[in-house]
Amino acid sequence: MSSTSQKHKDFVAEPMGEKTVMALAGIGEVLGKRLEEKGFDKAYVVLGQFLVLKKDEELFREWLKDTCGANTKQQGDCYSCLREWCDSFL
Amino acid sequence: MAQFHEDPALLTKEKLKSELLANNVPLPSADSKKDVYVQLYLKNLTVLNKKNTSAPAPDTFSSDEEMTAPLLSGRSRSGKKATRKTDRVRPVENDISGLTDEELKGQLMKYGVLSGPIVASTRKVYEKKLQQLLEQPPLESSLPEPETTIPEALTIKAGGNQNGNTHSAEEQYSDKEEEVGPVPEPVPVVSKPVRSRGKTPVTVRTSSRQRTKQQVEETATDTEETVDGGDILKEIFPNEPATPTGITVTCRKPIRGAAGRPVKPLSLWSEESLQQQNTYTVTKSSVTDVRSATPAARPRPRRWFAFWLKLLVFIALAASLYYAFQYVTTDQINACQLYVQDNVITPIANYIRWETPAEGGDDK
């Protein structure tokens, strides 16, 4: 099992509230900027997309790749981050 | 070939190219995607096919069942690589973007993909998915395909774990959502449920990384499910000892300031004992709370009394001072001073004289 980054731990530790997309694990400045341009300016909007895709890993990864050009690792990080958050708070 | 294929998608690119060339159809100059050749093939040849034969055009989904049967036999003839192609005859999907949301959802459903809502933001992803499903047939998901995929699976299964349908092997997981089949591809075509609630153990697996990961996850979710409540409890309260019901209770320390209780302990005599109690409760837990609860109950009514007593004393003091400033005459003050002097100062002076004879005299 891969270890989780500090960013992941921080995100999963509490309700996301109004955190920006940059707070998501795997999403840095560049990707965050791209997501914001597409209208996904807050973490909860990305969460919304994640849920609409029924928390499906492949679809969400695909969507992430299409929307902001995330690579495999970034996709994985973001996906597991959101999934774990949902497990705790949803 | 006497008869042109109804679904050119079944053929390989090379085959399509050669067929097109054989019929004098101009090919694109550069090597294009297969779709292009498929389109050309359909345009030029299938049309001719219609003219030649009186076979009904496969334009409706309902006719798929009839189409797949002759195609099955045709496919085994058409070449080795053809076994890789999908058996689903759906010329309508050549233009996936043209499908409405409903149709797209329906198409995905036929592949056993339980798609979520197809909204503006999800449409593209689902279109891509359908495209993938059309070009490389899946590892069909666990939903039992009603039509003729089963005999097909039997014919292809011998071919091993290629892209062919190992559907019969998958059938045991019929109650689950999408599953990844045994094709070791970097990108799983059919999404796999990370948190699938399937109970049956996963048996058909290759050595793919993702597969083993899913296996681990599945067993994890299985164990999680059975001990669901206990695990969550353990997560939330890692320090508490395990109990048969999973419930532990600690006595709540009486909250000061709530329910009319005084915010600070005012009783003079009980302050010490309270301090002791505080240290106890800080270091230990429920046992001492119980211990402190009972003695605390007794001083509680006392505290009220003590508080009022203190207040009374304070008021009395204030009143006396006021009285002193207002009514007492200077004569009385002098008399008082003398009195104090006589009775208080002189003993002190004597004491000092007794202590240090050298000093002598009183300091007042």
Side-chain angles (χ1 to χ4, degrees):
Chain A
M1 188 176 145
S2 61
S3 61
T4 51
S5 65
Q6 188 58 41
K7 211 170 170 192
H8 174 107
K9 289 180 193 152
D10 290 342
F11 191 83
V12 171
E14 56 179 2
M16 64 173 78
E18 297 290 322
K19 287 184 186 169
T20 68
V21 268
M22 252 72 94
L24 286 164
I27 306 294
E29 276 198 40
V30 176
L31 296 184
K33 200 103 183 135
R34 289 182 195 160
L35 281 170
E36 283 174 4
E37 282 165 12
K38 294 277 179 78
F40 297 89
D41 56 342
K42 294 277 184 189
Y44 61 72
V45 188
V46 179
L47 173 72
Q49 183 65 23
F50 177 68
L51 297 175
V52 161
L53 290 169
K54 294 191 143 194
K55 304 192 213 173
D56 181 273
E57 175 165 12
E58 193 216 334
L59 290 175
F60 181 72
R61 280 175 175 256
E62 188 74 29
W63 172 82
L64 206 57
K65 189 173 79 168
D66 287 341
T67 311
C68 63
N71 65 30
T72 311
K73 182 184 184 299
Q74 291 161 331
Q75 295 164 20
D77 288 346
C78 189
Y79 167 75
S80 56
C81 172
L82 280 172
R83 193 193 64 201
E84 218 175 293
W85 189 94
C86 286
D87 290 342
S88 304
F89 297 103
L90 205 56
Chain B
M1 288 220 173
Q3 176 162 358
F4 297 117
H5 280 276
E6 301 293 345
D7 183 20
L10 287 175
L11 305 174
T12 69
K13 213 159 95 175
E14 273 61 45
K15 205 86 179 119
L16 285 168
K17 270 205 239 178
S18 57
E19 293 275 333
L20 289 169
L21 281 170
N23 291 279
N24 299 322
V25 177
L27 293 171
S29 49
D31 194 34
S32 329
K33 285 197 159 205
K34 188 178 160 197
D35 252 308
V36 180
Y37 296 116
V38 168
Q39 300 285 349
L40 282 170
Y41 192 97
L42 271 176
K43 242 194 302 181
N44 298 299
L45 304 175
T46 319
V47 176
L48 291 173
N49 201 16
K50 277 193 211 165
K51 269 196 261 174
N52 292 343
T53 68
S54 55
D59 55 346
T60 57
F61 304 146
S62 56
S63 60
D64 279 352
E65 291 163 68
E66 293 96 41
M67 301 315 304
T68 51
L71 270 169
L72 272 177
S73 47
R75 218 173 352 91
S76 55
R77 272 189 274 120
S78 62
K80 304 165 200 72
K81 281 192 183 173
T83 55
R84 245 209 307 206
K85 303 299 173 286
T86 180
D87 63 304
R88 301 222 157 266
V89 185
R90 303 210 195 285
V92 183
E93 286 80 358
N94 287 333
D95 184 18
I96 292 179
S97 324
L99 293 172
T100 67
D101 292 343
E102 297 293 322
E103 285 168 358
L104 187 57
K105 194 168 164 79
Q107 289 305 308
L108 286 164
M109 189 71 80
K110 303 237 170 166
Y111 284 86
V113 174
L114 285 173
S115 61
I118 299 189
V119 196
S121 56
T122 62
R123 189 181 165 98
K124 192 174 170 198
V125 183
Y126 283 119
E127 278 181 6
K128 266 199 181 181
K129 190 166 182 104
L130 188 61
Q131 204 157 27
Q132 282 173 358
L133 288 171
L134 285 176
E135 284 172 7
Q136 294 173 12
L139 331 130
E140 300 264 291
S141 74
S142 53
L143 285 185
E145 299 294 352
E147 296 111 28
T148 59
T149 54
I150 296 162
E152 183 184 285
L154 292 173
T155 56
I156 296 168
K157 203 179 167 191
N161 293 339
Q162 283 190 17
N163 301 355
N165 297 326
T166 54
H167 179 73
S168 55
E170 301 268 356
E171 265 189 75
Q172 5 173 344
Y173 320 125
S174 56
D175 60 336
K176 282 208 277 252
E177 301 172 300
E178 302 105 33
E179 285 232 328
V180 181
V183 174
E185 285 173 359
V187 179
V189 177
V190 177
S191 60
K192 55 182 194 279
V194 177
R195 294 262 166 209
S196 77
R197 301 284 177 188
K199 308 281 186 302
T200 59
V202 173
T203 55
V204 180
R205 291 284 179 253
T206 59
S207 57
S208 164
R209 224 183 330 123
Q210 289 159 335
R211 230 53 50 55
T212 50
K213 188 168 80 173
Q214 186 187 2
Q215 199 169 10
V216 168
E217 282 171 351
E218 284 223 24
T219 50
T221 51
D222 278 349
T223 53
E224 259 188 62
E225 272 207 53
T226 52
V227 203
D228 214 7
D231 280 350
I232 286 174
L233 216 54
K234 270 258 182 278
E235 276 176 32
I236 298 170
F237 302 107
N239 299 325
E240 297 294 319
T243 55
T245 55
I247 300 167
T248 55
V249 176
T250 57
C251 277
R252 187 172 61 85
K253 203 175 72 161
I255 299 171
R256 295 212 190 89
R261 283 188 279 270
V263 178
K264 268 196 315 184
L266 293 176
S267 56
L268 302 163
W269 65 271
S270 62
E271 252 180 14
E272 260 188 23
S273 59
L274 274 170
Q275 277 173 9
Q276 278 179 2
Q277 285 166 18
N278 286 342
T279 53
Y280 278 135
T281 52
V282 161
T283 54
K284 294 192 184 171
S285 61
S286 57
V287 180
T288 52
D289 271 346
V290 173
R291 234 180 70 191
S292 63
T294 39
R298 263 179 280 123
R300 210 178 293 139
R302 286 283 184 148
R303 247 180 254 152
W304 276 109
F305 177 71
F307 169 70
W308 286 113
L309 194 64
K310 271 193 191 170
L311 199 60
L312 222 59
V313 165
F314 172 72
I315 288 171
L317 256 170
S320 65
L321 274 172
Y322 179 74
Y323 171 82
F325 278 120
Q326 293 290 328
Y327 301 114
V328 174
T329 63
T330 41
D331 294 333
Q332 282 180 326
I333 290 170
N334 289 335
C336 273
Q337 273 186 341
L338 280 168
Y339 178 76
V340 166
Q341 246 180 328
D342 288 336
N343 292 349
V344 178
I345 301 301
T346 34
I348 292 171
N350 290 335
Y351 177 73
I352 290 168
R353 241 184 258 124
W354 178 72
E355 277 290 319
T356 53
E359 263 202 47
D362 60 329
D363 295 340
K364 217 255 199 94

